[in-house]
Amino acid sequence: MTGKALLEVIRLSTTFRNGNGGLHVLDGLDFSVAEYQFVALLGPSGSGKSTLLRTLAGLLPPSRGRVVFKGQRVDGPPRGVGYVFQNANLMPWRTVEENITLPLELAGAANGAAAAKSREMVELVGLQGFEEALPRDLSGGMAQRVAIARALAHDPDLLLMDEPFGALDAITRERMGLELLRIWEARRKTVLMVTHDIAEALMLADRALVFSERPARVSMELTVDLPRPRLDELRYTPEFAALSRRLRDAIR
């Protein structure tokens, strides 16, 4: 299910200054993301995918072009955007519940409201019984669940995910992909996720955007017209294999 454009990227270019005339990373990107859509972003390492996410989050100004979120130009971190990094980046001295409430506390939420929201998020990501656990006592997958819960705690309209399962082993990564599917089905947020895993992109996304080598342009846009809900068995179908081949050829 999609609706009007929530996010627009318009002729976006980014060049980092250096002693050799500048490092041109993004080159005239043009695309939009509809409400409730899940978009996967793939491409070669170093092609600027993480740079794009930082720009969308208002953490990095573009050199040219603009980002429009909910009809407003992004000139700094906008309200309504959640960010999940490759590493969970949890506060080691805070419990699971306290890590989840952190953005709510920073926003000035009352203690009772923050605690209630944390409990809701713990249930959403399946961490009941671990509310008082410290990050050192969590597996990598559990820590990433906390990071996702923290990003969702303030009910963002847009969730940016920078290869959130990249540091996990293959089996845990597949399980976390299925967990993310479940969470997305429950909350239906608009998501833009960087991944290097083609199967992960096809299991999760409605659309896949493929970046070229740096300076990056969108070299291919693929509609992932696989039925939902998506179960693990989908990976072994001819339709999945055909889409995987198209993405692999585009990235090469």
Side-chain angles (χ1 to χ4, degrees), residues 16-246:
F16 294 118
R17 295 181 180 178
N18 61 22
N20 298 312
L23 180 65
H24 194 186
V25 180
L26 305 177
D27 185 26
L29 297 181
D30 267 300
F31 67 89
S32 63
V33 179
E35 282 185 311
Y36 313 123
Q37 198 169 55
F38 198 125
V39 178
L41 183 60
L42 302 97
S45 295
S47 59
K49 300 181 294 298
S50 296
T51 296
L52 173 62
L53 286 200
R54 292 199 298 272
T55 304
L56 300 182
L59 304 175
L60 181 70
S63 302
R64 294 188 302 278
R66 65 188 188 275
V67 175
V68 177
F69 176 61
K70 297 173 64 176
Q72 301 294 319
R73 182 168 182 156
V74 173
D75 291 316
R79 293 177 62 88
V81 176
Y83 206 132
V84 180
F85 298 89
Q86 180 171 343
N87 297 312
N89 294 325
L90 304 180
M91 299 293 185
W93 59 88
R94 295 178 71 108
T95 65
V96 165
E97 186 173 81
E98 290 168 345
N99 267 287
I100 294 171
T101 59
L102 181 59
L104 301 175
E105 294 170 16
L106 294 175
N111 290 341
K117 176 59 73 170
S118 180
R119 290 192 294 272
E120 177 188 340
M121 292 297 102
V122 163
E123 183 173 353
L124 177 68
V125 301
L127 284 176
Q128 300 95 322
F130 291 91
E131 292 88 345
E132 300 304 316
L134 292 171
R136 69 186 181 212
D137 301 318
L138 304 176
S139 68
M142 293 169 73
Q144 281 301 87
R145 292 189 195 199
V146 178
I148 293 170
R150 181 178 59 191
L152 290 172
H154 60 90
D155 196 25
D157 299 296
L158 174 65
L159 184 62
L160 304 174
M161 309 185 79
D162 192 356
E163 209 174 352
F165 311 136
L168 305 177
D169 64 83
I171 292 176
T172 304
R173 182 171 188 149
E174 285 189 10
R175 289 174 179 167
M176 286 301 301
L178 293 173
E179 279 296 299
L180 181 57
L181 263 181
R182 178 184 62 79
I183 294 166
W184 182 80
E185 288 285 351
R187 291 302 171 105
R188 284 298 174 114
K189 297 297 180 183
T190 307
V191 179
L192 185 63
M193 187 178 85
V194 170
T195 178
H196 285 97
D197 190 304
I198 290 173
E200 184 173 82
L202 294 177
M203 284 297 293
L204 292 169
D206 301 303
R207 293 165 60 207
L209 304 179
V210 178
F211 269 20
S212 67
E213 295 279 357
R214 190 177 65 237
R217 297 181 178 180
V218 177
S219 62
M220 178 187 181
E221 179 174 340
L222 178 71
T223 299
V224 184
D225 54 355
L226 297 170
R228 295 187 185 274
R230 293 180 185 164
L231 305 177
D232 199 45
E233 293 77 13
L234 187 64
R235 301 174 188 269
Y236 311 107
T237 63
E239 295 80 6
F240 194 93
L243 290 173
S244 178
R245 191 175 303 114
R246 289 180 64 186

